[in-house]
Amino acid sequence: MFVQQAVPGRSMDQLSAEELDTRGAWDVLYADLAPRVYNYFRYRLGSEADVEDLTSRTFEKAWRSRASYRRDLAGFSTWLFKIAQNVGVDYRAARRSHLPLEAALDVATEGTPERHAELRSDLARLAALTAGLPARERELIALKYGASLNNRLIAELTGLSESNVGTVLHRLVKTLRTQWYGDVSTLDE
Amino acid sequence: MNDDFLHRLRREPPPGFLAELKAKLDRQSAPARPRRLSFSRGLVVGLLLATTAFAVTSLSINSAPKSLHAFLAAPVELVARMSSSPSQSEDRQLHGPVPLGPAWLPTHVAPQPQGDALEANPPASATAVPAPPIPEEAKSSSTQPAATPTGYEILDVIATASAFPHAQTVADHFGKNFGQLRVSSDMNGTALNSLCNPDSKGNPSVAELYHRLTPAELRTCPLKLTEFAVGHQAIVLARGRLYGPLRLSARALFLALARQVPMPMPTDPTQLIDNPNTTWNQVDSTLPYDRIHVFGPELGWVQEKLAAALLLEAGCDTYPWIAELRTSDPARYDRICKTVRSDGAYEGNAAGGWALSDNLVHDPTTLGIYTLSEFARSEDQLVANLIDGVEPTPETIVAGTYPAARTLYLYVNRRYWGNSLFDRLLAAYLLPLNLYGSDPAGWGFIALDAAERAEVQATLKRYSDFRY
């Protein structure tokens, strides 16, 4: 299990809602999960903007409604990441509906010095490489590498089978790796 | 699998941010967790209360009861008063006298601004009513796309608010491959007017709407349009299996969940009041005496707005005077028919559908809102409630008989037939791979089935043959 075992012989991920209220348990969970949620949003959005705000929103919603969390249904991290997914969906939907039409023309600005500098940011490069992928595959990348979740938890969160998660991720990483190192050589020329 | 390059992108959050968030959370006190009585403890407590109430009431009757029924009913009423939960007690303090019957009362809050209503000013009703003439201001509305830049051709798609995420997903897929598509959201209900205005070069070529245009609406358009179905949106209202499915009517759903409802007869039914209904039997006497309590997406989220529209509109339209507002005062129609109550009868759940199942099993009179796929994953624990006697299945959704569902339509100016970009766009819309359904933003979306897709392709072929 990926969460420290503060209670001997038991994963912190399996604590009940009452146990979550104990100071020590919550501190350990927070220390483990906050960086994961933070990085989940970084990978999912492909930028640093608004990541802190979305991480805060996720934890605040989870904290407010933790009484409704049932450990017999899902691990705490699964529950938390489901909230993070919904926060992300809401954020993207709100942002999309306010994008000016001209934003769609940004694709035409490639090749400018600013764009070149932006591409040198690894995260922006990843965003550029994954931009053409379906949302489900971008989600898988964010959950696997941003949140560092295992395939079983990713399967629970996405509704895919565990083996399907593994297969899709394997194919994705293979493609991205080729593009990634190809991309580096292009930039360095 | 060499995936180091992906792991390396991880970064620790700023310590200051983590500490600040932690302190903020620690300052917030935990909500009281509702206590659950075990069955045996509940039974004992219930029996004790009933016995005590019966004894006290029997002794307190000064005169002989008028009937056996009155004699038996008195203790039951007393038990109803005594058995309210802690939250009900709070409501009792807020509302003064304790009501007999529904022990729980809503706490009404001030209405929120409705600027972000799901469909801001839908262009027309699904019923056959004459559409208003195209207003002059539509020509300069905010939905007009920017001027086409020179150098390459761009297709403009305009989508109503609830169809916009779907259009955007298709555009993302299309745009990454072809790069020449713009999608704008119709924020003021002029999508049809924008599409049909032949005078401006900047007008959209394609409109995606959440409802089908009526013949009257089509007649107002000077252009020749072709219609395609591109998918469906539907939700399921489920509950635990213990008591089986409820048979709800669309009107009962509206009266149970809308923020404001018409005043009951014999008072003026064209006046709206804050929703006073607290139990299902108040909105439909054939329904049980259970508290109206529905879990769904968090208030204000896009999913909640879609759920509200799907659940409330059908029932709302059973009031003719409200249905007329769809064309005469669309903003008011949205406020009435797409706004769910926020007084506690509807409760947002941030973790979404599947996380509700356990709550519903433990509280079998509570209802939860699911997508069809979420429901399928919990079907061993839950049953789908019927709306107007129709069960939510792919067949009833496609057939249009299930009230909490609707179809998204694409309307296309026929002058674009033969344009290669346009052909690719339609191909993207008709991909058998359900790109949007696998996107979390595609909550509630159901792709066309094989037969529907074949029908659309047949239409395409018919026009292609005509063209050549």
Side-chain angles (χ1 to χ4, degrees):
Chain A
M1 279 294 176
F2 54 81
V3 184
Q4 294 176 42
Q5 294 195 343
V7 181
R10 183 128 151 258
S11 161
M12 290 293 289
D13 207 35
Q14 298 300 318
L15 293 183
S16 67
E18 289 87 351
E19 288 167 323
L20 283 174
D21 284 340
T22 61
R23 171 71 61 176
W26 171 242
D27 288 352
V28 172
L29 270 178
Y30 180 80
D32 178 75
L33 290 173
R36 290 168 189 272
V37 172
Y38 180 85
N39 277 292
Y40 163 75
F41 283 121
R42 286 181 67 240
Y43 278 62
R44 189 66 181 85
L45 303 180
S47 75
E48 309 285 350
D50 298 328
V51 165
E52 291 186 8
D53 179 43
L54 294 176
T55 306
S56 299
R57 272 196 241 170
T58 300
F59 272 92
E60 284 169 24
K61 280 187 186 300
W63 188 243
R64 274 202 308 272
S65 55
R66 68 189 187 279
S68 65
Y69 160 66
R70 302 290 306 266
R71 68 170 166 167
D72 44 351
L73 185 69
F76 183 78
S77 52
T78 315
W79 181 72
L80 183 72
F81 276 104
K82 193 69 194 172
I83 294 174
Q85 281 183 313
N86 282 331
V87 167
V89 167
D90 194 56
Y91 168 80
R92 289 195 300 279
R95 196 159 163 266
R96 275 174 173 176
S97 61
H98 292 100
L99 269 183
L101 289 169
E102 289 76 5
L105 300 180
D106 286 350
V107 288
T109 61
E110 283 184 43
T112 62
E114 293 78 13
R115 178 69 176 154
H116 212 67
E118 192 186 339
L119 276 178
R120 288 189 184 280
S121 150
D122 282 349
L123 194 61
R125 275 177 50 213
L126 178 68
L129 292 180
T130 56
L133 298 174
R136 186 193 67 181
E137 301 191 355
R138 295 201 294 267
E139 186 72 16
L140 289 179
I141 294 283
L143 290 170
K144 180 72 178 179
Y145 296 100
S148 296
L149 299 182
N150 61 36
N151 290 2
R152 184 178 56 77
L153 291 185
I154 294 173
E156 279 180 37
L157 285 164
T158 56
L160 299 171
S161 70
E162 195 174 338
S163 61
N164 200 358
V165 169
T167 308
V168 174
L169 277 171
H170 183 81
R171 181 171 50 78
L172 273 175
V173 170
K174 197 173 165 188
T175 309
L176 286 175
R177 191 172 56 234
T178 308
Q179 294 174 333
W180 184 266
Y181 292 110
D183 193 25
V184 169
S185 60
T186 308
L187 283 173
D188 289 342
E189 276 173 6
Chain B
M1 183 162 63
N2 181 5
D3 51 6
D4 287 349
F5 71 103
L6 288 169
H7 285 296
R8 278 204 307 268
L9 300 182
R10 277 179 63 86
R11 176 167 84 77
E12 284 302 307
F17 161 69
L18 283 184
E20 195 179 316
L21 175 58
K22 178 75 167 47
K24 192 175 175 184
L25 295 174
D26 287 345
R27 280 196 300 272
Q28 294 175 9
S29 59
R33 184 175 173 76
R35 293 187 61 186
R36 292 173 192 276
L37 287 176
S38 68
F39 179 75
S40 54
R41 283 175 62 192
L43 189 65
V44 171
V45 171
L47 280 174
L48 278 173
L49 282 173
T51 310
T52 310
F54 199 89
V56 169
T57 317
S58 302
L59 289 171
S60 65
I61 294 173
N62 293 327
S63 57
K66 289 174 184 169
S67 67
L68 179 64
H69 179 265
F71 180 75
L72 292 174
V76 173
E77 288 177 354
L78 186 58
V79 170
R81 291 169 188 254
M82 295 172 68
S83 61
S84 57
S85 68
S87 60
Q88 291 162 350
S89 303
E90 288 168 20
D91 284 319
R92 187 186 308 151
Q93 287 166 10
L94 286 172
H95 291 275
V98 181
L100 287 176
W104 172 84
L105 282 174
T107 51
H108 291 293
V109 295
Q112 301 297 311
Q114 294 302 306
D116 55 352
L118 184 63
E119 299 291 348
N121 197 1
S125 156
T127 55
V129 282
I134 299 170
E136 275 303 304
E137 58 268 28
K139 295 176 186 173
S140 57
S141 78
S142 63
T143 60
Q144 277 204 6
T148 305
T150 54
Y152 58 93
E153 192 176 4
I154 290 179
L155 271 183
D156 286 304
V157 178
I158 188 164
T160 48
S162 66
F164 179 73
H166 176 251
Q168 184 67 51
T169 303
V170 175
D172 282 350
H173 176 75
F174 176 88
K176 299 309 172 198
N177 294 318
F178 306 111
Q180 291 150 319
L181 184 72
R182 286 190 302 213
V183 178
S184 58
S185 179
D186 171 27
M187 299 307 288
N188 53 8
T190 55
L192 178 62
N193 291 331
S194 301
L195 181 68
C196 291
N197 185 345
D199 298 334
S200 171
K201 287 183 180 175
N203 273 5
S205 336
V206 180
E208 186 173 340
L209 309 178
Y210 74 95
H211 73 292
R212 190 172 204 169
L213 294 181
T214 62
E217 286 173 311
L218 286 170
R219 276 197 296 275
T220 64
C221 186
L223 306 176
K224 287 186 175 176
L225 300 180
T226 305
E227 173 190 274
F228 299 99
V230 292
H232 309 275
Q233 292 174 314
I235 53 169
V236 176
L237 204 53
R239 70 170 183 170
R241 287 187 161 271
L242 184 63
Y243 300 128
L246 280 177
R247 300 181 73 86
L248 299 163
S249 65
R251 178 178 278 208
L253 262 181
F254 167 67
L255 291 175
L257 293 177
R259 177 175 288 172
Q260 290 202 308
V261 293
M263 285 178 85
M265 296 291 278
T267 46
D268 184 1
T270 62
Q271 293 295 314
L272 295 173
I273 52 170
D274 284 343
N275 195 332
N277 299 313
T278 55
T279 59
W280 286 104
N281 67 333
Q282 289 176 326
V283 298
D284 179 346
S285 59
T286 64
L287 293 173
Y289 174 75
D290 291 333
R291 175 190 165 188
I292 297 169
H293 188 207
V294 177
F295 278 118
E298 290 243 320
L299 284 169
W301 283 13
V302 283
Q303 296 97 323
E304 177 267 319
K305 289 174 183 170
L306 175 61
L310 291 176
L311 284 177
L312 302 181
E313 268 193 82
C316 209
D317 289 342
T318 62
Y319 291 89
W321 73 271
I322 300 179
E324 280 175 18
L325 293 175
R326 194 194 280 266
T327 45
S328 60
D329 189 352
R332 188 168 181 224
Y333 178 86
D334 285 351
R335 278 198 303 278
I336 300 169
C337 300
K338 296 176 182 175
T339 310
V340 81
R341 62 200 295 184
S342 55
D343 54 11
Y346 177 94
E347 196 172 329
N349 182 294
W354 58 269
L356 297 175
S357 307
D358 202 50
N359 287 345
L360 300 191
V361 170
H362 282 82
D363 191 354
T365 59
T366 295
L367 276 55
I369 295 173
Y370 290 78
T371 65
L372 217 59
S373 56
E374 285 172 341
F375 176 72
R377 292 168 68 185
S378 304
E379 212 166 356
D380 55 332
Q381 296 176 292
L382 306 175
V383 288
N385 297 300
L386 278 61
I387 303 178
D388 283 346
V390 182
E391 198 180 348
T393 64
E395 292 75 29
T396 57
I397 289 165
V398 168
T401 53
Y402 179 61
R406 64 188 182 191
T407 302
L408 297 179
Y409 290 95
L410 204 64
Y411 288 88
V412 176
N413 182 346
R414 278 190 209 163
R415 77 184 167 95
Y416 284 90
W417 289 115
N419 179 309
S420 60
L421 266 182
F422 175 71
D423 288 349
R424 288 178 195 150
L425 171 67
L426 282 183
Y429 264 105
L430 294 175
L431 272 180
L433 175 65
N434 186 1
L435 292 171
Y436 185 53
S438 57
D439 181 344
W443 190 86
F445 181 79
I446 301 161
L448 297 181
D449 63 20
E452 289 177 300
R453 212 163 37 244
E455 192 180 325
V456 174
Q457 275 159 349
T459 307
L460 275 174
K461 186 172 184 311
R462 196 162 61 244
Y463 282 103
S464 299
D465 291 345
F466 176 74
R467 194 172 74 220
Y468 297 117

